[in-house]
Amino acid sequence: MGCPLWLLCMALSSGGWWLRGAQGKTLRGRFSGAGGGAQPAARFQFHGDHAVLYVRINNVAAAVGREARLHLFQAQEWLKLQDSTLDHSCGEKLSKAQLTMPMNHTEQNLTVSQIPYPETWYVFYVDKFTCEENYENSESEEIQFEMMLLNPDAEGNPIDHFSAGESGLHEFFFLLVLAYFVTACICAQSLWQTLKKGGPMHTVLKVLSIALFFQAGSAFANYLHFSSYAKDGIGAPFVGSLAELCDIICQIQMLYLLLSLCMGWTIGRMKKSQSRPLQWDSTPISTGIAVVVVVTQSVLLIWEQLEDTNHHSYHSHHSLASGLLIGLRVCLSLSLACGLYQIITVERSTLKRQFYITFAKGCILWFLCHPGLATISVLFRDYQREKVITIGVILCQSVSMVILYRLFLSHSLYWEVSSLSSVTLPLTVASGHKSRHYF
């Protein structure tokens, strides 16, 4: 238990990294008159026939004097221009914008229509100085703006702040929180009584319940963030970051728990006395392995969150941190599967073999769901991928927790396996015993 708590303290003392700004769909800022290329203003996934870009500026005279305007590019077209072997000039690139809106009024609307399927659009600020490489005018007045990007709702009214890639997540987190609440009403009392009794499953259930608490906390914080986001397009950035922090703690707790079980800290190390049939102890080697893996995942999780400013626990996997995180989970799954397979093939006891198989299902589902869904998501369109990963991972990890809870609440089965006199789980480091299993 000490390791996850120490890592949590390390994360909390790292200086408020979760307070970063949010890329909301209501944007406020300033346009400057510097040259050197178009200034990126927004990125949004429009859908439907009546999506709207709304802009309000405070200095119409300055905007008119600079010939300020907004250029909208479809993401694919913009990337083609950037990757084109033809040497397009700045002006030629900007002239290929699919939509253009001159900024000559205090408030303006631009309708984005006839979109065959949801796709990403880039919004750029452009003025008459944009293509001048060395233009700098420190005296030029900045233009303060407020920008809202809206999609049509079910009735066709452009009042939906969610992009196509985020639509449905608010409803999903509402149903998820409702499911947690109903489950808590039904099971919380019996689980609490089981924890108070102690017994061979006490330590495991305690850590598993802490992980479940943070998983539920992450879902509730996400629901609050999206509820606020639905009203103003900004949401509650701190609450969204709190959801990510809760998810990181949950991932750390589960990794530490599963590693501990697999290394024989709580299952099958050696025969314990009846007064202490289950202990959470370790050797220096087993502690070192667990700490290294847990710290590595923690660093990768925090690195991934810092690289992507959108408030989602599971991100698009284009960064190095995301790739390394997926690789780590695949390695853990394969190592665990190989170790348990070797045990299951030589195990004669049907009861023990059943335990190992069920335990392997829960662990492998927890570790492999994220890499598996990230791979499957490439078959979907860009706007569907993040929803597939987010919803899929949450549901799969919830099923994994149910499997582990059912396993550890089976008193006779868990007592039998946790009281084994021989070391039979992978990654076991048992000093003073002849049989040692590594993978």
Side-chain angles (χ1 to χ4, degrees):
M1 283 293 291
C3 182
L5 293 178
W6 171 74
L7 288 171
L8 173 59
C9 293
M10 180 184 68
L12 292 175
S13 63
S14 61
W17 55 269
W18 56 88
L19 291 174
R20 61 188 181 276
Q23 290 184 345
K25 298 309 175 288
T26 297
L27 306 171
R28 298 182 179 93
R30 294 178 176 85
F31 292 130
S32 62
Q39 299 178 33
R43 178 180 180 272
F44 194 70
Q45 293 173 331
F46 289 108
H47 67 80
D49 291 331
H50 300 287
V52 168
L53 168 65
Y54 164 84
V55 178
R56 179 178 180 177
I57 59 177
N58 73 326
N59 194 334
V60 178
V64 171
R66 294 183 200 168
E67 301 176 9
R69 56 196 182 276
L70 294 178
H71 285 222
L72 279 72
F73 290 85
Q74 293 176 354
Q76 293 181 349
E77 298 300 322
W78 175 254
L79 294 176
K80 286 179 183 178
L81 285 174
Q82 297 298 96
D83 298 335
S84 175
T85 56
L86 300 176
D87 189 16
H88 292 292
S89 66
C90 172
E92 289 174 338
K93 287 183 179 180
L94 296 177
S95 66
K96 297 181 181 296
Q98 280 71 45
L99 294 171
T100 304
M101 182 177 73
M103 299 172 64
N104 49 18
H105 294 87
T106 301
E107 297 183 14
Q108 292 178 264
N109 290 332
L110 175 66
T111 300
V112 183
S113 59
Q114 297 180 350
I115 303 175
Y117 57 86
E119 57 184 329
T120 303
W121 288 70
Y122 295 137
V123 182
F124 294 92
Y125 168 80
V126 177
D127 60 29
K128 64 181 181 181
F129 305 113
T130 295
C131 293
E132 297 184 16
E133 292 293 334
N134 299 318
Y135 175 81
E136 290 186 9
N137 186 357
S138 58
E139 297 181 358
S140 62
E141 189 174 357
E142 294 181 332
I143 302 172
Q144 293 185 356
F145 73 91
E146 177 180 341
M147 183 183 301
M148 295 176 62
L149 300 105
L150 301 167
N151 275 320
D153 61 6
E155 298 178 356
N157 301 315
I159 57 175
D160 186 3
H161 291 279
F162 291 103
S163 70
E166 299 166 329
S167 62
L169 288 178
H170 184 206
E171 293 80 3
F172 168 73
F173 281 112
F174 169 75
L175 294 176
L176 186 63
V177 170
L178 181 61
Y180 278 125
F181 177 75
V182 173
T183 304
C185 292
I186 297 172
C187 304
Q189 185 175 0
S190 60
L191 178 61
W192 175 250
Q193 291 174 352
T194 302
L195 290 172
K196 287 176 65 178
K197 290 179 182 178
M201 74 294 292
H202 175 264
T203 305
V204 176
L205 285 176
K206 183 169 65 173
V207 179
L208 189 61
S209 298
I210 292 173
L212 178 61
F213 173 79
F214 281 106
Q215 187 184 54
S218 176
F220 183 64
N222 269 317
Y223 171 69
L224 293 179
H225 170 62
F226 280 116
S227 296
S228 177
Y229 187 95
K231 298 176 182 177
D232 58 15
I234 298 175
F238 175 78
V239 177
S241 296
L242 182 63
E244 294 174 352
L245 180 62
C246 287
D247 183 73
I248 288 177
I249 297 172
C250 173
Q251 299 295 327
I252 292 172
Q253 286 285 117
M254 286 299 295
L255 176 60
Y256 185 66
L257 169 66
L258 299 180
L259 271 181
S260 300
L261 294 174
C262 293
M263 294 174 71
W265 290 0
T266 57
I267 301 180
R269 268 201 78 187
M270 60 183 65
K271 191 171 183 179
K272 307 292 182 182
S273 64
Q274 292 301 314
S275 60
R276 296 183 65 191
L278 181 67
Q279 294 181 2
W280 191 296
D281 46 49
S282 61
T283 66
I285 297 178
S286 63
T287 301
I289 293 174
V291 168
V292 168
V293 177
V294 171
V295 169
T296 301
Q297 174 169 283
S298 304
V299 171
L300 292 176
L301 285 168
I302 295 174
W303 183 7
E304 182 189 39
Q305 300 294 341
L306 291 174
E307 283 192 339
D308 193 340
T309 56
N310 286 312
H311 292 293
H312 298 295
S313 298
Y314 306 98
H315 302 263
S316 300
H317 305 284
H318 305 299
S319 66
L320 177 60
S322 298
L324 292 174
L325 189 59
I326 287 177
L328 175 64
R329 286 169 173 163
V330 171
C331 290
L332 288 170
S333 301
L334 293 176
S335 300
L336 175 63
C338 291
L340 286 173
Y341 177 76
Q342 292 175 1
I343 296 171
I344 293 169
T345 54
V346 299
E347 181 59 61
R348 295 182 179 180
S349 170
T350 303
L351 185 65
K352 297 172 188 175
R353 190 162 56 246
Q354 178 188 354
F355 175 87
Y356 295 130
I357 292 173
T358 306
F359 180 73
K361 288 178 181 178
C363 294
I364 292 174
L365 179 60
W366 181 275
F367 287 127
L368 269 189
C369 64
H370 194 188
L373 287 166
T375 303
I376 294 172
S377 69
V378 300
L379 302 176
F380 294 84
R381 292 188 181 274
D382 181 62
Y383 74 94
Q384 297 172 320
R385 291 174 185 170
E386 190 166 352
K387 289 190 289 188
V388 169
I389 295 173
T390 300
I391 296 175
V393 169
I394 291 174
L395 293 179
C396 287
Q397 291 189 343
S398 298
V399 171
S400 175
M401 278 197 169
V402 170
I403 292 173
L404 294 174
Y405 261 114
R406 287 174 60 88
L407 181 66
F408 297 133
L409 286 172
S410 177
H411 294 254
S412 59
L413 180 61
Y414 188 75
W415 184 280
E416 174 71 19
V417 179
S418 64
S419 301
L420 296 179
S421 60
S422 60
V423 179
T424 54
L425 280 181
L427 264 180
T428 298
V429 183
S431 57
H433 200 281
K434 294 181 181 179
S435 176
R436 300 185 181 186
H437 299 269
Y438 304 90
F439 60 87

